CSV table of all heavy atoms in Angstrom, one decimal:
chain,number,residue,atom,x,y,z
A,1,LEU,N,11.1,9.0,-12.9
A,1,LEU,CA,10.9,7.6,-13.0
A,1,LEU,C,9.8,7.4,-14.0
A,1,LEU,O,8.7,7.9,-13.9
A,1,LEU,CB,10.6,6.9,-11.7
A,1,LEU,CG,10.0,5.5,-11.7
A,1,LEU,CD1,11.1,4.6,-12.3
A,1,LEU,CD2,9.6,5.1,-10.3
A,2,ILE,N,10.1,6.6,-15.1
A,2,ILE,CA,9.1,6.2,-16.1
A,2,ILE,C,8.8,4.7,-15.8
A,2,ILE,O,9.8,3.9,-15.7
A,2,ILE,CB,9.7,6.3,-17.5
A,2,ILE,CG1,9.9,7.8,-17.8
A,2,ILE,CG2,8.7,5.8,-18.5
A,2,ILE,CD1,10.6,8.1,-19.1
A,3,ILE,N,7.6,4.3,-15.6
A,3,ILE,CA,7.2,3.0,-15.2
A,3,ILE,C,6.2,2.4,-16.2
A,3,ILE,O,5.2,3.1,-16.6
A,3,ILE,CB,6.7,2.9,-13.8
A,3,ILE,CG1,6.3,1.5,-13.4
A,3,ILE,CG2,5.6,3.9,-13.5
A,3,ILE,CD1,6.0,1.3,-11.9
A,4,ARG,N,6.4,1.2,-16.5
A,4,ARG,CA,5.5,0.4,-17.4
A,4,ARG,C,5.2,-0.9,-16.7
A,4,ARG,O,6.2,-1.8,-16.5
A,4,ARG,CB,6.1,0.2,-18.8
A,4,ARG,CG,5.3,-0.7,-19.7
A,4,ARG,CD,6.0,-0.9,-21.0
A,4,ARG,NE,5.4,-1.7,-22.0
A,4,ARG,CZ,4.6,-1.4,-22.9
A,4,ARG,NH1,4.3,-0.1,-23.0
A,4,ARG,NH2,4.0,-2.3,-23.7
A,5,THR,N,4.0,-1.1,-16.2
A,5,THR,CA,3.8,-2.3,-15.3
A,5,THR,C,2.3,-2.7,-15.4
A,5,THR,O,1.6,-2.2,-16.2
A,5,THR,CB,4.2,-2.0,-13.9
A,5,THR,OG1,4.2,-3.2,-13.1
A,5,THR,CG2,3.3,-1.0,-13.2
A,6,PHE,N,1.9,-3.6,-14.6
A,6,PHE,CA,0.6,-4.2,-14.6
A,6,PHE,C,-0.4,-3.4,-13.7
A,6,PHE,O,-1.4,-2.9,-14.2
A,6,PHE,CB,0.6,-5.6,-14.1
A,6,PHE,CG,1.3,-6.6,-15.0
A,6,PHE,CD1,2.7,-6.8,-14.9
A,6,PHE,CD2,0.7,-7.2,-16.1
A,6,PHE,CE1,3.3,-7.7,-15.8
A,6,PHE,CE2,1.3,-8.1,-16.9
A,6,PHE,CZ,2.7,-8.3,-16.8
A,7,ALA,N,-0.1,-3.2,-12.5
A,7,ALA,CA,-1.1,-2.7,-11.5
A,7,ALA,C,-1.0,-1.2,-11.5
A,7,ALA,O,0.1,-0.6,-11.2
A,7,ALA,CB,-0.9,-3.3,-10.1
A,8,GLN,N,-2.1,-0.5,-11.7
A,8,GLN,CA,-2.2,0.9,-11.5
A,8,GLN,C,-1.9,1.4,-10.1
A,8,GLN,O,-1.3,2.4,-9.9
A,8,GLN,CB,-3.6,1.4,-11.9
A,8,GLN,CG,-3.8,2.9,-11.8
A,8,GLN,CD,-3.0,3.7,-12.8
A,8,GLN,OE1,-2.9,3.4,-13.9
A,8,GLN,NE2,-2.5,4.9,-12.3
A,9,ALA,N,-2.3,0.5,-9.1
A,9,ALA,CA,-2.0,0.9,-7.7
A,9,ALA,C,-0.5,1.0,-7.5
A,9,ALA,O,-0.1,1.9,-6.6
A,9,ALA,CB,-2.6,-0.2,-6.8
A,10,GLU,N,0.3,0.2,-8.1
A,10,GLU,CA,1.7,0.3,-7.9
A,10,GLU,C,2.2,1.7,-8.4
A,10,GLU,O,3.1,2.3,-7.8
A,10,GLU,CB,2.4,-0.8,-8.7
A,10,GLU,CG,3.9,-0.9,-8.5
A,10,GLU,CD,4.6,-2.1,-9.2
A,10,GLU,OE1,3.8,-3.0,-9.6
A,10,GLU,OE2,5.8,-2.1,-9.3
A,11,VAL,N,1.8,2.1,-9.6
A,11,VAL,CA,2.1,3.5,-10.1
A,11,VAL,C,1.7,4.6,-9.1
A,11,VAL,O,2.4,5.5,-8.8
A,11,VAL,CB,1.5,3.6,-11.5
A,11,VAL,CG1,1.8,5.1,-12.0
A,11,VAL,CG2,2.1,2.6,-12.5
A,12,ASP,N,0.4,4.5,-8.7
A,12,ASP,CA,-0.1,5.5,-7.8
A,12,ASP,C,0.7,5.6,-6.5
A,12,ASP,O,1.0,6.6,-6.0
A,12,ASP,CB,-1.5,5.2,-7.4
A,12,ASP,CG,-2.5,5.3,-8.6
A,12,ASP,OD1,-2.2,6.0,-9.6
A,12,ASP,OD2,-3.6,4.7,-8.5
A,13,GLN,N,1.1,4.4,-6.0
A,13,GLN,CA,1.9,4.4,-4.7
A,13,GLN,C,3.3,4.9,-4.9
A,13,GLN,O,3.8,5.6,-4.1
A,13,GLN,CB,2.0,2.9,-4.2
A,13,GLN,CG,2.6,2.9,-2.8
A,13,GLN,CD,2.5,1.5,-2.2
A,13,GLN,OE1,1.9,0.6,-2.7
A,13,GLN,NE2,3.2,1.3,-1.0
A,14,LEU,N,3.9,4.6,-6.1
A,14,LEU,CA,5.2,5.2,-6.4
A,14,LEU,C,5.2,6.7,-6.5
A,14,LEU,O,6.0,7.4,-6.0
A,14,LEU,CB,5.8,4.5,-7.7
A,14,LEU,CG,6.4,3.2,-7.6
A,14,LEU,CD1,6.6,2.6,-9.0
A,14,LEU,CD2,7.7,3.2,-6.8
A,15,GLY,N,4.1,7.2,-7.1
A,15,GLY,CA,3.9,8.6,-7.2
A,15,GLY,C,3.8,9.3,-5.9
A,15,GLY,O,4.3,10.4,-5.6
A,16,ALA,N,3.1,8.6,-5.0
A,16,ALA,CA,2.8,9.2,-3.6
A,16,ALA,C,4.1,9.1,-2.8
A,16,ALA,O,4.3,10.1,-1.9
A,16,ALA,CB,1.8,8.4,-2.9
A,17,GLN,N,5.0,8.2,-3.0
A,17,GLN,CA,6.2,8.0,-2.1
A,17,GLN,C,7.4,8.6,-2.7
A,17,GLN,O,8.4,8.9,-2.0
A,17,GLN,CB,6.4,6.5,-1.9
A,17,GLN,CG,5.3,5.8,-1.1
A,17,GLN,CD,5.1,6.4,0.3
A,17,GLN,OE1,6.1,6.7,1.0
A,17,GLN,NE2,3.9,6.4,0.8
A,18,ALA,N,7.5,8.8,-4.0
A,18,ALA,CA,8.7,9.3,-4.6
A,18,ALA,C,8.7,10.8,-4.6
A,18,ALA,O,7.7,11.5,-4.7
A,18,ALA,CB,8.8,8.9,-6.1
A,19,SER,N,9.9,11.4,-4.4
A,19,SER,CA,10.0,12.9,-4.4
A,19,SER,C,10.3,13.4,-5.8
A,19,SER,O,10.3,14.6,-6.0
A,19,SER,CB,11.1,13.3,-3.4
A,19,SER,OG,12.3,12.7,-3.9
A,20,ILE,N,10.5,12.5,-6.8
A,20,ILE,CA,10.8,12.9,-8.2
A,20,ILE,C,9.5,12.6,-9.0
A,20,ILE,O,8.6,11.9,-8.5
A,20,ILE,CB,11.9,12.1,-8.7
A,20,ILE,CG1,11.6,10.6,-8.6
A,20,ILE,CG2,13.2,12.5,-8.1
A,20,ILE,CD1,12.7,9.7,-9.3
A,21,PRO,N,9.3,13.2,-10.2
A,21,PRO,CA,8.2,12.9,-11.0
A,21,PRO,C,8.1,11.4,-11.4
A,21,PRO,O,9.1,10.8,-11.8
A,21,PRO,CB,8.4,13.8,-12.3
A,21,PRO,CG,9.4,14.9,-11.8
A,21,PRO,CD,10.2,14.2,-10.8
A,22,VAL,N,6.9,10.8,-11.4
A,22,VAL,CA,6.6,9.5,-11.8
A,22,VAL,C,5.7,9.5,-13.0
A,22,VAL,O,4.7,10.2,-13.0
A,22,VAL,CB,6.0,8.6,-10.7
A,22,VAL,CG1,5.7,7.3,-11.2
A,22,VAL,CG2,7.0,8.5,-9.5
A,23,ILE,N,6.1,8.9,-14.1
A,23,ILE,CA,5.4,8.9,-15.4
A,23,ILE,C,4.9,7.5,-15.7
A,23,ILE,O,5.7,6.6,-15.8
A,23,ILE,CB,6.3,9.5,-16.5
A,23,ILE,CG1,6.7,10.9,-16.2
A,23,ILE,CG2,5.5,9.5,-17.8
A,23,ILE,CD1,7.9,11.4,-17.0
A,24,ASN,N,3.6,7.4,-15.8
A,24,ASN,CA,2.9,6.2,-16.2
A,24,ASN,C,3.1,5.9,-17.7
A,24,ASN,O,2.4,6.6,-18.5
A,24,ASN,CB,1.4,6.2,-15.8
A,24,ASN,CG,0.7,4.9,-16.1
A,24,ASN,OD1,1.2,4.1,-16.8
A,24,ASN,ND2,-0.6,4.9,-15.8
A,25,ALA,N,3.9,4.9,-18.0
A,25,ALA,CA,4.0,4.5,-19.4
A,25,ALA,C,3.3,3.3,-19.8
A,25,ALA,O,3.5,2.7,-20.8
A,25,ALA,CB,5.5,4.3,-19.7
A,26,LEU,N,2.3,2.9,-19.0
A,26,LEU,CA,1.3,1.9,-19.3
A,26,LEU,C,1.0,1.1,-18.0
A,26,LEU,O,2.0,0.7,-17.3
A,26,LEU,CB,1.7,0.9,-20.4
A,26,LEU,CG,0.8,-0.3,-20.7
A,26,LEU,CD1,0.6,-0.5,-22.2
A,26,LEU,CD2,1.2,-1.5,-19.9
């Protein structure tokens, strides 16, 4: 999952809950 969004907390939470790699694209 590549994600580009506003809140860093949303990215952190997706990384914690997803079993696949999560990549912060901003």
Side-chain angles (χ1 to χ4, degrees):
L1 168 63
I2 297 172
I3 177 170
R4 177 183 174 92
T5 191
F6 292 90
Q8 179 66 41
E10 184 174 347
V11 174
D12 293 339
Q13 190 175 351
L14 280 166
Q17 297 296 326
S19 60
I20 58 174
V22 175
I23 299 164
N24 178 356
L26 177 140

